Amino acid sequence: MNDRLPGPALRVNPEKTIHFSYRGRPMQGVAGDTVATALYASGVRIFSRSFKYHRARGLYSLDGQSSTCMMEIDGIPNIKAEITSLREGMAVRPQNVLGSPQRDLLAVAQWLDWAMPPGFYYKLFHKPWFLWPIFSKMIRRAAGLGRLNEEGHPGNFENLFLNCDVCIVGGGPAGLQAALAVAELDLRVVLLETRSHLGGFYDWRVVRSAWGQPFWARGRELENTVVQHPAIRVFKQTHLTGIFADNLLSAVQTGQPGEVFDERYMEIRAGSVVVATGSAERPLVFENNDRPGIMQCGCAHRLARTYGLLPGNRAVLSVGHDLMLEAAIDLADMGLEIAVVADARSTGQDESLVDALAQRNIPLLKGWLAAEARGKKGVKRVLLTNRMREESRLFQCDLLIASAGRAPVLDPLLMTRTRFELDRQTGFMLPVQLPSRLYAAGRMLGWDDAQAIEDSGRLAGLKAAADCGFALSDFIKPLEKSLQGRFQFRARQMMSRAPGPGHKSFICFDEDVSVADIHRVVAEGFDSVELCKRYSTAGMGPSQSGIPGQNLPLALAECRGHTLESLRPAKVRSPLRPTLLGTLAGKHYQLVKQTPLRKIQQQLGASFVRAGQWERVQYFGNDPTAREEIANVHANVGLMDVSTLGKFRIVGKDALAVLQRMYVSDLSRLIPGQLKYSAMCNEDGCLIDDGMITCRGGDDYYFTTTSARARDTMEWFGYHSRFEDWDYHIVNLTDGWGAVSLAGPAARQVLSRVVKDDVGNDFYSKGYVETQLKNGIAVRLLRVGFVADQGWEIHAPASATAAVWNALWDAGQDFGIQPFGLEAQNVLRLERGHIIIGEDTELRTTLLDLGLGFLWDRNKKGFKTVGVAALHQTENQPDRMKLIGFKMNDPSQTPPGGAIIVDTQVRGYVTSVRYSQALKQSIGLALVEAPLARDGTLLEIFIGGPDRRRLGAKVQRGPFY
Amino acid sequence: MSATITCPICGRRSIYEFRFGGENRGPRPFDDQATAQQWYAYVHLRTNAAGPQQEWWYHRDGCGTWFTTWRDVTLDCEVEAKEGKNE
């Protein structure tokens, strides 16, 4: 199977065998093969069965232009075998077949085509209505493509986000020259190429070029220069999926063997874009044009030259371009028997090519084309006719190389605001007006001459570079001029088929839409390109405009008797290539921050929980309700990791002004050693953050925020001072500093054992102390009563936090020190009536609603404090929700968090609730309507579920413990 | 969404690195007390000009600077500052 024809332009290494399986059977390919070429080399000719009629389909384009090459590879359906590199151990399976592609039991569908016109399922099966579900199930089984992998999406996926000065789409001669022109100016270039190698249509041609060497060698030379250029990043097997506003491009790259990803999503932000996507073959439409053994000319030529595979034994060619005559000569020289070459053009062929065919005794029929292929599972005979179908001849063959001519690949430009016009000389739809910073180059502009193609690439590159600020008109103008003189006339060939009804002449392989279907659709009134496309579904399959896009507008014009000038290409949309959902999802990163005390706490048996960006300790040991931890804080002393608290230093002449704007309290009288609890509101007056603020002396302040708010604090401070010319610096110490909370009746004794200073009453009367531990660690002590009367936060640099913990731990052994986690903290603070922002607050609860109005300093003036205006306005609104504490009437009943409070209607809901061991009582916080907020009010809490009932509770303002 | 935003410190970067801070309407027009109308206009009303507008952006995944830039909302891309408009 690995016998490959020798040749200079091969892209495979026949020495290196690659093993894979097809339908569970072991097969072999060689390094450099795609799945499709390896299968072709192994004798597989029927690749798939079509969507609707289950017709046999085979290798057609090598560029993945239609669904005919879709297979299930390594458990992922709908992978295009033509553009997927073969990897060791791949498991390849055909899809949409009942049995095998050779003997597909659903192939009966092709005899029922008369019953299946476009939209038949809507027309036929909707009456009677109760049968539709049954029909729907049958149709879904028979139609459709791959089988979804229900266990998940195997594969490795990645994202890549790039910036560059110029992005070049297409790595053919024009694209390569454009890339070099830009990169020579030291601008950064990103080049995208869908194939696995660069060089475009040079890559497999062995004829001599104008530069003296054969085209393939010229291509390799350009490829090497580009790949080695430090300013050019080349992405092969990368399919452009969209062009968006401001030159944002999206693309999908398929992983090559050895790459760590299977597919990756890319976004490229480019200053300018050069589109050099070249031209593709316009499919020739004739009866049974989809039979296995019928392929495009480039496909046959590349099979031979790039992969070393002779595509058949005896070939008939029906072509429409000089490149294809060149291919016929080359294939004949490689040993393919060519029965006849039909050229749809009556005149205009390159005479030297005509002579070369004659020398090889290959008959050339000018003005002839294929009208019908015969043979069911592979082509056996071909009927050739002249253009008007007055004469015909039948030829035996096992390979039909069919192509109507060439047409530009417009997909990328069709997504932009480019205006197109049909060019009579080339027969191409040419871009006549492009948006700024977007250029087209190469064969898509109608150039045929290699030198002109390269020059037009260079020209586009220079123009794109000029957009980036280079004065290049001295280079651009002469190049433009020299190109003007070089337009070569090529006989244009717009015809795509010989006359005939076209029942099995397929315009769209993906959706099995034939010429006759288009006629039927037009007869039903869907006569514009967009309507026809939607109703017939031609071009709505996985390949979008790939194959049907070329001929659908032509078929429509023919059907309606319109001139070709009225042609409009059908719209295309992103993604231009089918993209795996896994690729769009990208890699699933679980980015999480860990505190410096993680290891210590792990050894103490901590259970961690994800809290925002952090992993924090929920509880220690086996009790999720943390009863012992709580009891220990009540009775002795507890230690908790609070490193996740936001910690900030703000310093500078205007630091106080900034704080005065953000915090509702007046901080102007804050003296060193004093610690103040305060809160921040948004412009709605709603509480967004609370924390401790202290002055370290002079203009130097230190403050804490809640863990959740730490990330946004810098942004918030910057936003609200953006119009001020304030002189201050703010430093986020959240990750750089760790913190532990020491709380409980024995906290003071523990602290006195570790702190270096003399610790008299004076020391403990201060709210904030900067000192050292006996082991020399500099710490900041904050007196905080969140969970206990006697409580301190000890802040220290992250690298020293573990040492601080250990020092406290050792000193606390005599006092029964134990660690505690979030669950214990939650109960302890609830007992003391303290709120947690985000749990007991909403985005509509103001400072006043939460009972924190005492923090608001109304006498503070002139700082435009955020939220104060709203506080003034909402202060006397009667219909606000208020946060209250409540005790359950039945002490043992604990309603679930979020339970609603009702009388005849919903009056509020429970925000936090816990059973307190210390109080032998369930306690909680709730947001209720103002009339229910008075102390002593009786509440009814509704419990849903199977035993629905109401529990009684009583409002209690103030701390419980 | 336009593709890039130019940070005065870090240069042209992907828009995903930034946070949008709204159109530039100048500093808050009131001190600590405001009428309901004033407050409503400041917090909720926007010009929504079709065309170039000056906007605030924050380089969140970068240097952390708040800055203004001009963007044409109909073209979805940054544009030169419009003459005669507020700085």
Side-chain angles (χ1 to χ4, degrees), chain A residues 272-560:
Chain A
S272 304
V273 174
V274 175
V275 176
T277 40
S279 65
E281 285 177 42
R282 196 150 48 76
L284 187 69
V285 182
F286 51 93
E287 240 2 49
N288 300 323
N289 57 337
D290 59 336
R291 291 286 190 229
I294 300 175
M295 61 176 68
Q296 293 195 324
C297 183
C299 176
H301 202 180
R302 281 167 69 195
L303 267 184
R305 281 298 178 190
T306 307
Y307 299 98
L309 293 166
L310 214 51
N313 296 315
R314 183 181 154 90
V316 169
L317 278 81
S318 174
V319 296
H321 193 277
D322 281 351
L323 268 182
M324 301 163 188
L325 298 183
E326 179 192 314
I329 295 159
D330 194 25
L331 285 169
D333 290 350
M334 288 185 82
L336 182 68
E337 185 193 343
I338 294 182
V340 64
V341 175
D343 189 334
R345 299 172 296 175
S346 307
T347 54
Q349 293 86 350
D350 186 334
E351 284 308 319
S352 63
L353 293 171
V354 176
D355 292 346
L357 282 172
Q359 276 167 24
R360 288 163 181 77
N361 291 322
I362 300 171
L364 173 67
L365 299 173
K366 291 184 187 179
W368 281 59
L369 66 167
E372 191 185 338
R374 293 180 189 167
K376 280 197 189 77
K377 287 179 180 171
V379 61
K380 293 205 173 85
R381 279 174 298 276
V382 176
L383 185 75
L384 297 182
T385 71
N386 64 355
R387 289 169 72 98
M388 287 300 115
R389 211 164 179 166
E390 293 134 343
E391 293 174 64
S392 61
R393 287 171 68 184
L394 201 60
F395 291 88
Q396 294 234 336
C397 65
D398 66 346
L399 173 70
L400 171 57
I401 296 173
S403 189
R406 300 203 67 94
V409 178
L410 297 176
D411 296 11
L413 293 183
L414 284 171
M415 303 193 76
T416 68
R417 301 181 190 193
T418 305
R419 203 161 59 81
F420 296 93
E421 262 172 29
L422 185 84
D423 180 69
R424 284 202 148 268
Q425 203 174 6
T426 52
F428 278 17
M429 216 42 107
L430 293 187
V432 289
Q433 200 186 334
L434 287 152
S436 64
R437 290 173 165 264
L438 179 68
Y439 302 93
R443 295 223 293 168
M444 66 187 307
L445 294 182
W447 301 109
D448 256 334
D449 167 50
Q451 180 72 55
I453 289 167
E454 290 192 19
D455 282 354
S456 84
R458 201 170 166 73
L459 178 65
L462 288 172
K463 285 182 176 170
D467 278 344
C468 301
F470 282 83
L472 296 169
S473 55
D474 289 353
F475 300 93
I476 290 173
K477 274 183 190 147
L479 204 52
E480 257 175 347
K481 212 167 209 176
S482 78
L483 268 172
Q484 270 165 13
R486 282 223 299 282
F487 212 92
Q488 277 184 324
F489 177 74
R490 290 278 184 227
R492 94 188 159 109
Q493 205 302 100
M494 293 299 287
M495 190 161 175
S496 60
R497 70 183 198 101
H503 287 293
K504 290 285 157 65
S505 304
F506 290 97
I507 296 265
C508 177
F509 291 165
D510 288 359
E511 304 271 339
D512 278 347
V513 181
S514 68
V515 171
D517 289 333
I518 299 294
H519 282 261
R520 238 176 312 215
V521 163
V522 171
E524 287 183 42
F526 301 92
D527 54 358
S528 81
V529 172
E530 298 297 331
L531 285 177
C532 174
K533 174 178 159 181
R534 276 159 188 73
Y535 190 64
S536 68
T537 67
M540 292 180 64
S543 52
Q544 278 212 44
S545 63
I547 283 178
Q550 311 282 5
N551 283 324
L552 179 65
L554 283 176
L556 204 61
E558 174 203 285
C559 175
R560 304 188 63 205

Side-chain angles (χ1 to χ4, degrees), chain A residues 149 235 240 276 316 367 403 470 482 495 629 640 657 667 832 862 888 901 910 952:
Chain A
N149 187 335
F235 294 90
L240 184 84
V316 169
S403 189
F470 282 83
S482 78
M495 190 161 175
E629 294 170 33
M640 183 186 181
L667 303 170
R832 297 173 64 76
M888 299 305 293
I901 293 163
V910 173

Side-chain angles (χ1 to χ4, degrees), chain A residues 661-664 679-689 716 720 835 837 841-853 855-856 864-875 877 880-882, chain B residues 28 30 32 39 42-44:
Chain A
R661 173 160 297 177
M662 302 306 157
Y663 283 103
V664 293
M680 289 191 246
C681 294
N682 60 16
E683 284 291 5
D684 300 340
C686 296
L687 183 71
I688 55 165
D689 187 35
W716 184 254
H720 288 286
I835 61 163
I837 293 177
T841 70
E842 303 179 336
L843 270 177
R844 56 175 179 169
T845 46
T846 68
L847 193 70
L848 303 167
D849 298 340
L850 297 167
L852 295 172
L855 294 173
W856 174 25
K864 289 192 176 180
T865 304
V866 181
V868 164
L871 287 179
H872 276 295
Q873 280 173 28
T874 55
E875 192 170 14
Q877 283 176 355
R880 300 200 63 84
M881 302 282 275
K882 299 285 178 193
Chain B
R28 201 173 86 177
F30 49 85
D32 290 339
W39 180 88
Y42 172 70
V43 175
H44 291 296

Side-chain angles (χ1 to χ4, degrees), chain A residues 563-767:
Chain A
T563 61
L564 297 179
E565 274 70 17
S566 68
L567 290 186
R568 287 290 168 269
K571 261 212 163 62
V572 297
R573 283 174 184 84
S574 174
L576 293 177
R577 294 266 185 162
T579 306
L580 299 176
L581 286 177
T583 308
L584 296 176
K587 202 163 212 150
H588 192 58
Y589 291 106
Q590 278 280 5
L591 291 179
V592 66
K593 294 209 273 189
Q594 298 177 348
T595 74
L597 299 172
R598 184 184 169 87
K599 221 174 226 168
I600 290 180
Q601 298 185 99
Q602 241 167 356
Q603 285 159 2
L604 292 169
S607 293
F608 289 90
V609 64
R610 180 80 188 258
Q613 306 173 62
W614 295 90
E615 266 192 346
R616 303 188 65 182
V617 179
Q618 181 71 7
Y619 58 90
F620 291 86
N622 301 319
D623 178 16
T625 59
R627 279 185 226 183
E628 280 180 30
E629 294 170 33
I630 298 162
N632 192 57
V633 174
H634 281 309
N636 303 312
V637 60
L639 200 55
M640 183 186 181
D641 176 12
V642 291
S643 300
T644 60
L645 281 173
K647 297 172 282 292
F648 295 86
R649 181 186 180 194
I650 182 165
V651 61
K653 189 159 62 59
D654 298 310
L656 180 62
V658 183
L659 292 171
Q660 293 281 54
R661 173 160 297 177
M662 302 306 157
Y663 283 103
V664 293
S665 312
D666 183 4
L667 303 170
S668 61
R669 280 162 310 194
L670 204 58
I671 53 166
Q674 209 178 357
L675 187 71
K676 192 162 174 62
Y677 171 68
S678 190
M680 289 191 246
C681 294
N682 60 16
E683 284 291 5
D684 300 340
C686 296
L687 183 71
I688 55 165
D689 187 35
D690 66 347
M692 313 302 293
I693 309 112
T694 186
C695 177
R696 301 179 67 221
D699 294 328
D700 193 353
Y701 294 82
Y702 183 66
F703 66 91
T704 63
T705 72
T706 55
S707 303
R709 190 66 193 166
R711 183 192 142 114
D712 294 330
T713 297
M714 303 280 278
E715 182 182 326
W716 184 254
F717 275 48
Y719 183 77
H720 288 286
S721 58
R722 68 197 190 285
F723 287 107
E724 313 293 347
D725 192 19
W726 280 341
D727 176 12
Y728 75 94
H729 294 281
I730 182 167
V731 188
N732 188 345
L733 299 170
T734 303
D735 298 347
W737 280 61
V740 294
S741 165
L742 183 72
R748 180 169 167 174
Q749 282 126 300
V750 175
L751 201 59
S752 66
R753 287 202 179 184
V754 296
V755 174
K756 204 176 194 177
D757 296 7
D758 173 33
V759 284
N761 280 337
D762 181 44
F763 180 94
Y764 291 111
S765 69
K766 283 183 178 167

